[in-house]
Amino acid sequence: MPLPRVIATRKLPAPVEERLRTNFTVALNEDDTPFTPGRLAEALRQADGVLCAVTDRMSADLLGTEGLQTRVLANFGVGVNNIDLAAAEKAGIAVGNTPDVLTDATADLAIALMLAATRRMYETEKMLREGRWQGFSLTAQLGMGLSGKTIGIVGMGRIGQATARRAALGFGMKVIYYNRSPLRVTLDFPAERRETIEEVMAEADVVSLHIPGGGENRGRISAAMIAAMKPTAYLVNTARGDVVEEPALIAALAEGRIAGAGLDVFAEEPKVPAELIALDNVTLLPHIGSATLETRTAMGMLAVDNLEAFFAGKPMPARVV
Ligand code: DGY
């Protein structure tokens, strides 16, 4: 029997590419140029499975085209807001993702951004590199301590919980959270649920976002919610840029209505608004939440597990549609 034909839209960690070469007839993306919509359409017409990523917008138009060969999309990422899931379902295309294996790496980065923001790392490092540091001072460059402060988690799923655990047990922070439904797990650290996102935003010293992007969550963190934050509070986003009303966040940061932010994700990646880049009170990272060698390899392996299971007629280990 011929091996299923798989197209990978991005360059993958070497062991993942090796496994794809062994088990599939595979077209790899050696130079890592992101696929255009035209190239994605071609891939969907040619391949039995497409191993795709957050940079590939699998729209209803693309997935609704007649005559597609693709039966499975293995998304390299836990977030699937790049894929129109309803359209995939309608077209009879299965969708897999890569949960769990990136939880710790992403929670680590949320904590890193919390520290960067509250200890003013970007602003002070920039001052030093630009030769503006006048020497040690007892009263300059003061940030906010974390012990005894409140972290507000918006979205208490796996990554939200891992971030909260680090904040509670590692930094002695009080945890409050919003989650759409009551948690079905017992937490191994103290945490208090709040009924609304507004309550969390108004009470927290640091708000960390962990809700999925797209759909009803687009712009969910509204101008009014940002306005409810304390002027001394910080916002951390390692989820998706589109969950925040970005212009409202920029205005709040520029006008000092909140103290600062740490952002790993943006509404229209890879575009980052010039107004954000100009601000000193925000640390900006290029969507590297899951970017460790170990995690990206594990994510790739899980994406391949999904493909192998699908083509073997077995349940995919992580299936969304
Ligand atoms: C994820 O897994 O969702 C990461 O943000 C990369 O897409």
Side-chain angles (χ1 to χ4, degrees):
M1 222 172 66
L3 294 173
R5 184 169 160 73
V6 167
I7 293 181
T9 63
R10 300 302 304 263
K11 186 162 180 55
L12 305 167
V16 180
E17 293 198 338
E18 191 49 46
R19 193 169 151 205
L20 283 172
R21 271 194 214 97
T22 310
N23 299 334
F24 299 97
T25 300
V26 67
L28 298 171
N29 183 352
E30 305 286 351
D31 67 9
D32 203 26
T33 307
F35 277 26
T36 58
R39 210 164 156 207
L40 279 182
E42 200 180 302
L44 291 168
R45 277 197 304 272
Q46 292 175 347
D48 304 306
V50 176
L51 200 158
C52 55
V54 65
T55 47
D56 303 311
R57 209 168 83 74
M58 296 288 188
S59 63
D61 276 357
L62 276 184
L63 296 173
T65 311
E66 291 291 302
L68 297 186
Q69 174 69 22
T70 296
R71 305 277 37 103
V72 57
L73 298 176
N75 200 51
F76 191 123
V78 66
V80 283
N81 60 312
N82 54 308
I83 302 173
D84 190 312
L85 297 179
E89 188 159 21
K90 196 160 163 221
I93 298 175
V95 178
N97 70 342
T98 61
D100 297 318
V101 290
L102 48 51
T103 298
D104 285 337
T106 310
D108 288 349
L109 200 84
I111 295 293
L113 281 172
M114 172 171 74
L115 285 166
T118 56
R119 298 302 299 271
R120 301 169 60 177
M121 287 189 198
Y122 166 68
E123 174 194 346
T124 54
E125 191 196 350
K126 185 169 155 236
M127 177 192 72
L128 179 151
R129 285 182 192 262
E130 289 175 355
R132 292 182 285 110
W133 185 31
Q134 302 292 321
F136 177 81
S137 160
L138 291 173
T139 51
Q141 295 105 39
L142 304 186
M144 181 184 85
L146 295 175
S147 178
K149 297 292 193 318
T150 298
I151 186 167
I153 303 283
V154 179
M156 197 63 153
R158 288 169 286 235
I159 300 172
Q161 287 173 33
T163 303
R165 181 178 298 108
R166 283 159 173 72
L169 305 182
F171 293 89
M173 297 181 80
K174 173 180 170 182
V175 175
I176 59 172
Y177 69 93
Y178 166 82
N179 200 58
R180 203 169 37 167
S181 40
L183 297 185
R184 275 177 288 163
V185 292
T186 307
L187 300 173
D188 57 359
F189 53 87
E192 293 173 18
R193 180 160 184 238
R194 297 288 180 265
E195 287 303 319
T196 63
I197 298 180
E198 285 85 344
E199 285 171 82
V200 170
M201 306 271 301
E203 195 179 332
D205 298 299
V206 178
V207 175
S208 190
L209 303 178
H210 301 283
I211 51 177
E216 60 181 17
N217 279 348
R218 199 164 289 130
R220 189 84 194 279
I221 307 302
S222 62
M225 290 183 189
I226 294 167
M229 291 174 73
K230 301 179 197 175
T232 50
Y234 296 82
L235 184 81
V236 170
N237 191 4
T238 52
R240 283 292 182 268
D242 70 351
V243 305
V244 179
E245 264 187 37
E246 210 167 59
L249 174 62
I250 293 169
L253 286 164
E255 293 160 21
R257 285 187 278 111
I258 65 173
L263 308 176
D264 184 44
V265 285
F266 305 91
E268 286 179 44
E269 296 176 12
K271 278 192 238 147
V272 179
E275 299 94 314
L276 262 185
I277 290 182
L279 289 172
D280 272 354
N281 56 350
V282 53
T283 297
L284 306 171
L285 296 178
H287 200 149
I288 56 165
S290 61
T292 69
L293 180 60
E294 297 84 351
T295 297
R296 286 287 167 82
T297 303
M299 290 168 76
M301 289 302 185
L302 181 50
V304 181
D305 289 343
N306 277 333
L307 287 171
E308 287 182 4
F310 179 85
F311 289 115
K314 296 186 182 149
M316 289 159 68
R319 183 168 182 161
V320 186
V321 166

